[in-house]
Amino acid sequence: QVHLAESGGGLVQAGGSLRLSCAASGRTFNMGWFRQAPGKEREFVAAVNWGGDVTNYADSVKGRFTISKDVAKNTVYLQMNNLKPEDTGVYYCAADARWTTVLQSHGYDYWGQGTQVTVSS
């Protein structure tokens, strides 16, 4: 069993930055970030492979968000720059999907509780 704990959410103005962290209690492999806005389905944001050297991003965040993984600390980060109001939502960390299914929420075995990100205009 793996426990994931997110941190780093908050309220920021448009154009600002936030850095989310997700610490895993056990060894994890491929990891991802998803987000869910009120009244919308959970959507893929970014994923990183077990070694931290291969990444994948949703088109809506490419060039603004960076996912990274500290393998030694078993922690994944999401650096979010140039935030927009449409980035508002609860951000979830997820772990242990096959790389072929990292874009799909059902592909992950473990989920964190989520952290709120609110971007004001």
Side-chain angles (χ1 to χ4, degrees), residues 22 29 31 38 56 61 64 76 82 86 90 92-93 105 111 119:
C22 174
F29 298 93
M31 298 182 72
N56 196 329
V61 306
R64 301 188 297 123
V76 65
N82 191 20
E86 52 263 43
V90 178
Y92 297 92
C93 175
S105 60
W111 289 85
V119 184

Side-chain angles (χ1 to χ4, degrees), residues 51-109:
D53 57 344
V54 180
T55 58
N56 196 329
Y57 295 93
D59 288 341
S60 59
V61 306
K62 281 181 181 177
R64 301 188 297 123
F65 290 12
T66 302
I67 189 171
S68 60
K69 185 179 183 184
D70 187 326
V71 176
K73 295 182 178 180
N74 221 9
T75 299
V76 65
Y77 305 96
L78 185 68
Q79 177 66 44
M80 306 185 293
N81 298 328
N82 191 20
L83 283 160
K84 303 176 181 180
E86 52 263 43
D87 293 318
T88 294
V90 178
Y91 282 67
Y92 297 92
C93 175
D96 288 359
R98 294 180 181 270
W99 192 248
T100 53
T101 61
V102 290
L103 274 65
Q104 303 163 22
S105 60
H106 66 77
Y108 290 81
D109 293 329

